[in-house]
Amino acid sequence: MDGREALALAAGGARRALMVKLGLPIAALFMAFLILFGALGGLGGSGGAYAMGCGKPGQPADDGPSGNGSKGDATGGASKDLRARQVANAKTIDQVAKDGKLPGRATLIALMTALAESELDNISYGDRDSLGLFQQRPSSGWGTREQILDPKYAAHMFLFGGDSGDPPGLDDVPWENLSLNDAAQKVQRSGFADAYGPKETQARSIAKEAGIDLERSGENHPGKKGKTGDSGSSGKPADSGKGSKDPDEPTDNCDTSGSGTSQPGSPGEPFHDGKSSWPDAVRNRRSTEDAIKWARAEADSHRSGWYQRCLAFTSIAYGWNSSGTNYAIDHYQVEMPKDMRHDGDRNPPPGALMFWDTGHRAGHVAIYVGDGKIASNDIGAIGEISIVPATDIETKWGAKYLGWSPPYYPNAG
């Protein structure tokens, strides 16, 4: 059930423009290729990310259209057509909530969840067999493919779950005692448990446009233990005896020592300075030395404003106004020439761009500053640039290291 933003947000503007140009059949094949190759191998790879990394995920980047450094806003970078679909789907979700006598807060939680999972768009693809608004999986008991692709049915399953309480719906847990993010997580049981909170602003904006009253009261309140028997105090999904643990959750005892592996490197293994000159095509407005110096100075300044702006940060460090690429993951896997990609190599030269699959749509990129450290946004104080060990992205965010590349910005402006 884990598309999360990695797949959910694959319904982003750039991909949608492509679908219009190429036509649905070709675009669908193209999207399937990107998801299977890019997402599972690097982009989404929810399973891959979990297998390769441990720890609580952090705040992966979401630079937005053209990597121009703009913060997430009320539209989330959605196109006019996507926004219209979001509003329509929001109305459907709210009607299901109202029919079930749930208050407006339940609708808000559902909207936040669907935004994180699918951009509140009824997509017909996802990680493995994940589908629809909430990236629900037929193999996990959420319903058939046809049922899940019915927004009304999907909303009902999210809000009320299965008849036996497995899978659980929002009404199966005492969600009113939880934060909006944690209430969503109770249902989704995501390995990336903090994905939903950042969507509140966008959800409220969509609700306002849809004429949804998020402050309305409701008769159906979880005043007692849910059908799962969970009191809501532990922050973990209840064990109903079958399938209550999402198979995509990180393992409880993963090994980050790197021993006995044939991988180029394992989570937690240190990064070392490599020696490599940039190809002639790499021409930036700021030299490598000056870019590193600027990045360090930005970290020392403790200025905020870099929240979910990783790709923008790296391009600005190298003197550009924007990267010209929508997301970090695309910058590495789509825009970067193959001969510039050093997959899995844990010996980047200072100044290199390092990329991770965070399990979310955008992925993450940071600048390697040498001595095993990076300049990265959000890994220290949220919104600030910090100089931290490069291994922190794996061990703290549970992300999968993809590799490094020269600081090449073919679309920069």
Side-chain angles (χ1 to χ4, degrees):
M1 198 178 76
D2 239 343
R4 311 298 159 230
E5 289 182 18
L7 297 164
L9 300 188
R15 296 291 186 269
R16 301 188 179 285
L18 180 63
M19 294 181 80
V20 173
K21 293 179 181 178
L22 297 183
L24 289 176
I26 297 177
L29 290 174
F30 180 76
M31 181 61 68
F33 171 79
L34 284 179
I35 292 171
L36 290 175
F37 176 75
L40 297 180
L43 164 64
S46 298
Y50 300 130
M52 291 294 291
C54 304
K56 184 179 181 180
Q59 300 287 342
D62 188 8
D63 281 86
S66 299
N68 61 5
S70 60
K71 293 182 180 180
D73 56 23
T75 69
S79 66
K80 182 178 180 180
D81 289 343
L82 173 57
R83 181 72 169 197
R85 292 195 297 274
Q86 290 174 330
V87 169
N89 288 327
K91 290 179 179 178
T92 297
I93 291 171
D94 186 54
Q95 188 60 54
V96 173
K98 288 193 293 186
D99 289 346
K101 303 185 185 302
L102 290 172
R105 181 179 172 87
T107 294
L108 176 58
I109 294 168
L111 296 183
M112 291 166 59
T113 303
L115 281 167
E117 296 288 358
S118 69
E119 275 197 307
L120 191 48
D121 200 12
N122 191 30
I123 56 179
S124 60
Y125 53 86
D127 178 31
R128 287 163 286 187
D129 59 337
S130 299
L131 299 163
L133 293 172
F134 299 94
Q135 288 291 280
Q136 294 157 334
R137 300 181 62 187
S139 63
S140 295
W142 290 94
T144 67
R145 177 183 176 88
E146 291 72 23
Q147 287 174 324
I148 292 172
L149 287 175
D150 176 356
K152 186 175 181 179
Y153 173 90
H156 187 276
M157 286 298 289
F158 174 82
L159 292 169
F160 300 101
D163 292 339
S164 65
D166 182 37
L170 187 63
D171 193 43
D172 292 320
V173 296
W175 53 271
E176 287 187 321
N177 298 323
L178 302 172
S179 69
L180 296 170
N181 182 91
D182 290 350
Q185 169 64 0
K186 279 288 185 180
V187 180
Q188 298 300 92
R189 298 178 292 183
S190 168
F192 290 84
D194 298 321
Y196 310 106
K199 298 299 180 181
E200 182 178 356
T201 297
Q202 191 180 352
R204 289 186 178 279
S205 173
I206 291 171
K208 182 177 181 180
E209 187 172 336
I212 295 171
D213 179 11
L214 296 178
E215 305 304 320
R216 74 168 186 276
S217 60
E219 299 176 20
N220 192 351
H221 292 264
K224 58 181 183 303
K225 289 185 177 182
K227 286 181 283 186
T228 60
D230 188 352
S231 67
S233 61
S234 66
K236 297 181 180 180
D239 186 352
S240 63
K242 61 171 184 173
S244 61
K245 180 176 176 60
D246 193 316
D248 294 335
E249 287 186 35
T251 57
D252 294 328
N253 55 349
C254 51
D255 179 11
T256 60
S257 65
S259 59
T261 177
S262 60
Q263 297 294 330
S266 296
E269 287 188 353
F271 290 86
H272 302 285
D273 294 3
K275 293 182 179 180
S276 178
S277 58
W278 307 144
D280 291 339
V282 178
R283 298 177 181 275
N284 293 306
R285 295 178 176 175
R286 189 176 280 148
S287 69
T288 299
E289 292 75 15
D290 286 345
I292 293 175
K293 182 178 180 180
W294 184 90
R296 288 185 177 277
E298 189 63 23
D300 290 339
S301 74
H302 296 290
R303 282 189 289 264
S304 60
W306 293 109
Y307 175 61
Q308 295 190 336
R309 298 174 65 196
C310 66
L311 185 57
F313 164 69
T314 67
S315 62
I316 292 171
Y318 274 97
W320 302 103
N321 294 322
S322 70
S323 69
T325 307
N326 286 351
Y327 302 107
I329 203 79
D330 293 343
H331 195 78
Y332 186 68
Q333 294 184 327
V334 179
E335 302 299 338
M336 195 67 61
K338 290 184 178 179
D339 60 359
M340 291 189 190
R341 300 202 300 258
H342 299 264
D343 296 341
D345 186 351
R346 299 177 83 87
N347 300 283
L353 305 182
M354 298 176 66
F355 296 85
W356 288 265
D357 164 15
T358 61
H360 292 246
R361 173 61 182 91
H364 188 66
V365 61
I367 297 176
Y368 185 67
V369 298
D371 297 325
K373 297 181 179 181
I374 54 171
S376 171
N377 62 307
D378 297 335
I379 190 64
I382 298 299
E384 295 183 11
I385 302 302
S386 301
I387 305 298
V388 299
T391 52
D392 279 8
I393 306 299
E394 295 169 317
T395 58
K396 292 185 178 181
W397 284 4
K400 176 184 177 181
Y401 174 61
L402 298 179
W404 66 268
S405 76
Y408 181 53
Y409 299 91
N411 304 316

